[in-house]
Every structure is written in C-alpha cells, then in structure tokens.
Amino acid sequence: MAFTKNIKAFLNDTGDIAGFAGQFFSTGIKPRFEVLELLNQCYIIGYKSLPLIGLTGFIMGLVLTMQLRPSLVAYGVESQLPVMVGIAIVREIGPVITALIFAGKIASSIGAELGSMKVTEQIDAMEVSGTNPFKYLVATRTVATTLMLPVLTVLGDAIALFGAYIGVNIRSATSFYLFFIQVFRSLSFGDVLPAFFKTFFFGFAVGIVGCYKGYTSSKGTRGVGSSANSAVVLSSVVIFFIDLLAVQLTDLLGLN
Amino acid sequence: MANQTAGNIKLGAFVLSGLFVLILAFYLIGKNHNLFGSDFNIRVRFSNLNGLTVGNNVQFSGIQSGTVKKINMINDTTIEVTLSIDNKFTSYIHKNAVASIGTEGLMGNKIVNIVPSNLPSAQVTEDDLLIAQKKISTDEMLQTLSKTNNNVAVISEALKGTVLKVNGSTFMALLNDKNVSGNLLASLQNLNKASANAIKITNGIDDLIVGIKNGKGAAGVLLRDTIAAGNLQAAISSIRKASDNADSLTWQLNNLARTVNGHLNSGNGSLPMILKDSAFAKDLRATMYNLRQGTDGFNKNMEALKHNFLFRGYFKSQEKAQRKQQAVQSQ
C-alpha cells in the first residue's frame, strides 16, 4: 500500500515538475524579460561558482591521471595517458562532475532561497505588487543555470586538463605543448559537441528542479531545508538520467 | 549601481573566457580534421580497409597531412578511399607515392600512410589515384606463424631424436672417457714437439735454400754457378751428339739386320746356306765326325810316339824340368 502511495507521490511530483517546466516555456521566456535580474543571477550562479568548479575540476584531473597511470603502465601505453584522460574529461567526467557540483551548490541555494521566500510569503507579496514572481524568480534562475553551466563546464574541463598535465608530470616529464597536442589530436567534434550540448540540459534541470522545489516549498522553515535537500538529490538524479539519454542519443546519431 | 556594473564586468569576463576556451577547442579539433584551410583530394583503392573509417588521419612521411574524407565501395574486392590532404603538401606528394593502411602506435587508430617513392614522377593533382600497398594483416601473420610453429615442432622433434642418439653413442662415451683426455693431452704434447721439429726442419730447409741461393754445394753450383751451367750445357750438347751418333749406329745396325734378314729369307749367300740348308748341315755333321775320328787317331799316334825310343829321352827331360820348377815354387 505504501509502495503504491510512493509510486503515486513520485508520479505526482514528476507531473508537477513537467507542468512547472511547461509553465517556464509558456510564460517564463516571453517578454517582458527581467534582464537585470538575469544578469545578476548569472553573476551569482556562474561567476561565483567558478572557484568551486575550478578547484574540483583541477583535483579531478589530477586524481584521474594518477589513478589511470598504473593501469596504462601495466599495458605499456603510458604515453597514451594524456589521450585517455583528455577523452574521459571532455566526454563524460567533466560535464557530469561539474553538473553535480553545480547542482550541489546552486540547486540547494535556489531551493532554500525560493523556499524561504515562499514560506515567508514574499512571493505572494511580489504577486500583489504586480511583479510576476515566476518570471522574476524562476525564469531568470533557470535561464541563468542553463546558460552558465556550459560555460562552467568548458572552463572546468580546461582546468581539469591542466590538473591532468600536472598529474602526468608528477611521475614522468611531458611538455605542456606535447600534452596539449596529444589531447586535441585524439578529440573530435563527436566528443566535444554532445558533451557540450548536454550541459545545457543539465543546467536547465538544475535550475528547474531547484526552482520547483523552492517554489512549492511548504511546512515552514523545516520545509525550506527539505526543499534544499530534495532539490540537490533530485537534480543530481535528473542529471544522470539526462546523461543516460544523451549517450543513447549520440550513439543513435553515430557520434560515438 | 557600481556593484551591478562590477558584477556585470566579471560576468562578461567569465562568459568570454568560457567562450574563448570553447572556440579554441573547436578550432584545434577542426584544424586536426582539416576543416580550416584549403585542401585537395586524392584517391586510393584498397582491397581491405582493416577498420579504417572516415575521419582517420592521413600521414605523409609520418607527418599529419590530412584525413580520410570518403569511403566508397567499388566492387566486392575494391574499396575507394578519398583522402583530403592539406594544400601545403601538394608540392611534395608525387604520382608514384605509395599509400598503405597502418596503425597509430601498437593498438591505436587506423591511419593511411603515404610514402614517397625514390623514382622521379610528376606532382599529384586533384583526384589522382595513388598506388596502394597491401598490408599484411595480423591474421595472415598468425597463419604464417602457425605454419612456422609446426615446422619448428617437427624440427625440434627430429633434433631431440638426434640428440638422444648422440647421447647414447660411442662418441659421447669417448667424450666422457677421462683416459681419452689424457691421451689427447699426450697427443697434443707430441704434436707440439712435432711442430717444434717441423720448425727446426723448416729452418734447416731455409738455411739450405739460402746456401743454394748463395751457390754453396752441388745443387748451388748447379743452380747458381754460371760456369758450371755452361759446362753442363756443353756436356748436355755432347750427350746429345753421342745420342745422335748412337742413333745413327742403331739405324745402320738396323739396316744390316734387315739386310741379313733379307738374305736369310731369300736363301742367297753362304750364311743362309749354313743356317737353313739341311743337306749342308748333314755334310757338316759328317765332316765334324770325321774330324773327331781323325783327332782321336792323331792322339793315339802321338801316344805311340812318346813310347818310341827315338823320342823317349826328350819327353823324360821335359818331365824332370817340370818337377824341378814345381819344387822351386813349393819352397
């Protein structure tokens, strides 16, 4: 019985999120736009996330290189380490890890912010004052996450590749130019473009889930914490689902 | 407002840096795939591509020079590969260059290698067909290796039998015998002595040859003395003359013998009569008989004469003188 209830709750949530996303497309991206708020959100969501994304990306590249190294040495293809790390970072690890870190930072903050506004009835007050809260709060944040995550991913990949270069040079010596050439010689548009485009969907998922969880928050301050927490969890899960769909789609399109 | 502007500047820098990295990545990948810059197409026909696909790299003399643009199946044994080559390589690739399918590293992606030929030829032009070199595939190598392995197995089996036979043979017993080694050592010592003697003999011969060269001894005189050589030449000349005379004499004797033989055969003259006439032989025998009879009679007459008183004194004095001479000789 409980299982059925859970299923119903899950389906209800899914339907609500789909409706929320539909509302975003129906009303959120129509004029008039809240440009200043969008720029402000881009600054907060994008620029202020860069140090965290950069740090995690650097460590990720370094650690991945050091972890892959023994296996490649065992096969006698140590020279292929930049190629392996480059493809792994650009195709999968860079976008997904960046999106997860981004979800952890942004989805929670959006969920908590909108949730606290909801429970303190600021959103209702905004509506009364003639401002469309959906446009001002949800659309700007969702567009900001959708646009900023790809930029963050590209920069995060670059920093991760630099970390990988450091990782390669811990045990052996490779010039930066050779490392750079080796990485880009192995890459093709089929590696970069799908990875780049899926980050738009990751960003959109983080924004829409965070906003939905905050916008539909209830049960007082306790509900705010719950919204922040569930926003992170759900957006992370959605990121993995989108990743799964993306890999299937690129495979179908013959880009793999 | 100032905070807003500063935030926007930072945001702009952030977005631009992201776009810059993205565009740089696209440019580098595009450059590797010859998307920028002009290029030209050349074609190669292979029977087996061994996994070569569109987008794989093309190397000219080991330098990245282009990519595989198109793969077109002509028939069941011919596949045409169109290569997109960077224009700056046009002046270096000639029509007789050879293309083959290789691998980047040991297990890397397939690539097309274009190798120039040593012979002169015209420069390659758009849509030229290069010569393809058939690459030995791993399967073919393994098949050959399998045959080689079988041969090695047969050879090693035969070798094993041979080694076993050698091991059980008297030859190995001989090798293992300690006495043999002692004998061998002694033989070697003897050989050593013999070689020392040989050296002495050689030295002796050397001295002898030096002596001969210096004209010492009979051989030296014979070989080195010019006067002796002259004498020898004169002697040889005399011998030759003597030989000629002997030859002439022999010839004369031969003629004589031939004449005698002719006379004998013809029966003319006294000698053939003596040798061949049987009647004459009978007469001669009768004559000889009469002569012997006459001689016997004469002996008897002489004996009778000794006993005659007229001649007895003479014969007695002869006997006395003879006895006296014998007595003197015995003393």
Side-chain angles (χ1 to χ4, degrees):
Chain A
M1 197 67 188
F3 179 71
T4 318
K5 198 178 173 183
N6 282 342
I7 292 285
K8 274 185 179 174
F10 173 75
L11 291 173
N12 188 35
D13 262 2
T14 311
D16 279 350
I17 291 172
F20 197 75
Q23 194 182 351
F24 168 78
F25 285 112
S26 64
T27 60
I29 56 171
K30 281 182 180 170
R32 96 179 215 277
F33 299 113
E34 300 286 347
V35 179
L36 282 178
E37 177 59 14
L38 175 65
L39 290 176
N40 186 42
Q41 286 303 323
C42 282
Y43 174 73
I44 294 164
I45 289 169
Y47 182 79
K48 292 213 164 175
S49 299
L50 183 61
L52 180 67
I53 299 293
L55 181 68
T56 50
F58 179 81
I59 293 169
M60 186 179 64
L62 186 70
V63 170
L64 186 69
T65 309
M66 293 176 77
Q67 296 279 26
L68 275 173
R69 186 190 180 82
S71 303
L72 293 183
V73 169
Y75 279 105
V77 285
E78 192 188 350
S79 62
Q80 298 297 307
L81 192 55
V83 176
M84 287 282 292
V85 175
I87 288 177
I89 287 173
V90 171
R91 281 184 75 115
E92 183 62 29
I93 294 170
V96 171
I97 297 289
T98 306
L100 289 175
I101 300 292
F102 187 74
K105 184 176 185 294
I106 302 301
S108 60
S109 77
I110 291 174
E113 191 185 4
L114 294 193
S116 61
M117 287 172 85
K118 175 76 178 176
V119 296
T120 53
E121 297 178 346
Q122 288 182 53
I123 292 173
D124 296 335
M126 203 180 276
E127 210 164 345
V128 170
S129 68
T131 307
N132 187 345
F134 195 89
K135 276 194 168 185
Y136 189 80
L137 298 174
V138 176
T140 51
R141 281 166 176 75
T142 307
V143 171
T145 55
T146 308
L147 295 178
M148 287 301 106
L149 184 57
V151 180
L152 281 171
T153 304
V154 169
L155 292 173
D157 282 358
I159 295 167
L161 286 175
F162 182 71
Y165 166 70
I166 302 283
V168 168
N169 274 276
I170 287 174
R171 288 289 180 89
S172 61
T174 302
S175 71
F176 185 72
Y177 186 72
L178 177 63
F179 179 84
F180 196 64
I181 291 288
Q182 275 189 301
V183 169
F184 279 98
R185 190 188 285 167
S186 64
L187 289 176
S188 65
F189 285 117
D191 297 319
V192 178
L193 286 175
F196 179 67
F197 282 123
K198 72 184 175 187
T199 55
F200 285 98
F201 291 93
F202 291 166
F204 177 75
V206 169
I208 207 80
V209 169
C211 289
Y212 168 75
K213 285 292 176 185
Y215 210 74
T216 57
S217 183
S218 57
K219 298 173 189 170
T221 50
R222 203 176 153 196
V224 175
S226 173
S227 295
N229 183 37
S230 58
V232 174
V233 173
L234 189 59
S235 58
S236 301
V237 173
V238 171
I239 283 167
F240 278 109
F241 272 103
I242 292 170
D243 196 35
L244 181 65
L245 283 172
V247 75
Q248 298 286 340
L249 196 65
T250 49
D251 201 34
L252 280 174
L253 294 173
L255 292 171
N256 264 350
Chain B
M1 195 64 193
N3 278 344
Q4 181 74 37
T5 310
N8 283 349
I9 290 169
K10 286 176 184 174
L11 180 64
F14 165 71
V15 172
L16 284 176
S17 59
L19 283 173
F20 172 75
V21 173
L22 187 69
I23 290 166
L24 185 70
F26 283 168
Y27 171 74
L28 288 170
I29 294 166
K31 193 183 167 193
N32 278 338
H33 290 81
N34 281 1
L35 287 183
F36 313 114
S38 53
D39 53 9
F40 68 103
N41 296 330
I42 47 177
R43 296 171 299 141
V44 193
R45 288 182 178 175
F46 295 103
S47 58
N48 188 348
L49 293 189
N50 293 321
L52 186 81
T53 54
V54 172
N56 277 141
N57 289 330
V58 178
Q59 290 187 351
F60 174 66
S61 299
I63 305 167
Q64 174 64 33
S65 57
T67 51
V68 174
K69 189 179 180 184
K70 196 168 71 178
I71 292 172
N72 188 24
M73 195 117 188
I74 304 274
N75 56 43
D76 58 341
T77 55
T78 313
I79 303 154
E80 188 175 273
V81 178
T82 307
L83 310 174
S84 174
I85 306 287
D86 196 328
N87 254 343
K88 65 184 177 187
F89 289 94
T90 322
S91 54
Y92 303 110
I93 303 176
H94 294 266
K95 285 179 189 288
N96 61 353
V98 179
S100 63
I101 295 172
T103 312
E104 277 179 353
L106 195 62
M107 296 177 290
N109 291 328
K110 293 290 174 191
I111 54 167
V112 177
N113 285 312
I114 301 173
V115 183
S117 172
N118 292 328
L119 300 171
S121 180
Q123 279 180 13
V124 80
T125 52
E126 181 78 19
D127 277 334
D128 264 349
L129 192 66
L130 289 188
I131 306 156
Q133 188 183 41
K134 191 177 181 293
K135 199 82 179 172
I136 299 169
S137 70
T138 318
D139 287 343
E140 285 171 329
M141 277 197 284
L142 286 175
Q143 279 177 3
T144 312
L145 198 64
S146 172
K147 283 180 190 169
T148 314
N149 278 344
N150 290 336
N151 292 340
V152 168
V154 171
I155 291 165
S156 66
E157 190 64 37
L159 201 63
K160 185 182 158 193
T162 311
V163 168
L164 286 173
K165 278 179 189 171
V166 169
N167 214 15
S169 67
T170 49
F171 177 69
M172 282 305 288
L174 200 67
L175 280 180
N176 291 328
D177 195 346
K178 288 178 181 172
N179 294 330
V180 172
S181 64
N183 293 339
L184 200 65
L185 194 66
S187 301
L188 285 173
Q189 283 170 351
N190 290 336
L191 201 64
N192 202 15
K193 284 178 187 170
S195 60
N197 289 335
I199 289 167
K200 281 181 188 171
I201 290 165
T202 313
N203 288 338
I205 290 169
D206 200 30
D207 292 342
L208 195 64
I209 288 167
V210 169
I212 287 168
K213 276 183 180 172
N214 293 333
K216 287 178 184 173
V221 169
L222 201 64
L223 293 172
R224 307 289 296 186
D225 195 344
T226 49
I227 299 164
N231 292 341
L232 192 65
Q233 204 168 3
I236 289 167
S237 180
S238 302
I239 289 167
R240 192 179 295 140
K241 278 178 189 170
S243 169
D244 289 344
N245 291 339
D247 195 31
S248 173
L249 186 64
T250 310
W251 185 77
Q252 285 171 2
L253 278 172
N254 196 23
N255 277 347
L256 182 66
R258 210 174 281 163
T259 311
V260 170
N261 199 26
H263 284 302
L264 276 174
N265 288 335
S266 64
N268 296 328
S270 55
L271 192 62
M273 195 180 70
I274 292 167
L275 293 172
K276 289 207 164 182
D277 195 345
S278 56
F280 178 76
K282 199 181 277 178
D283 291 346
L284 194 63
R285 193 177 295 127
T287 308
M288 290 302 286
Y289 179 74
N290 290 337
L291 194 61
R292 191 160 59 227
Q293 289 289 327
T295 312
D296 285 347
F298 182 70
N299 278 342
K300 282 176 183 172
N301 290 336
M302 284 304 288
E303 197 63 35
L305 203 61
K306 278 181 187 176
H307 293 290
N308 194 299
F309 71 97
L310 290 174
F311 298 101
R312 197 183 295 164
Y314 171 75
F315 283 111
K316 276 184 179 175
S317 64
Q318 285 285 323
E319 281 174 5
K320 277 180 184 173
Q322 197 173 1
R323 273 199 295 272
K324 240 182 218 175
Q325 196 176 356
Q326 282 177 350
V328 170
Q329 281 177 349
S330 63
Q331 282 175 358

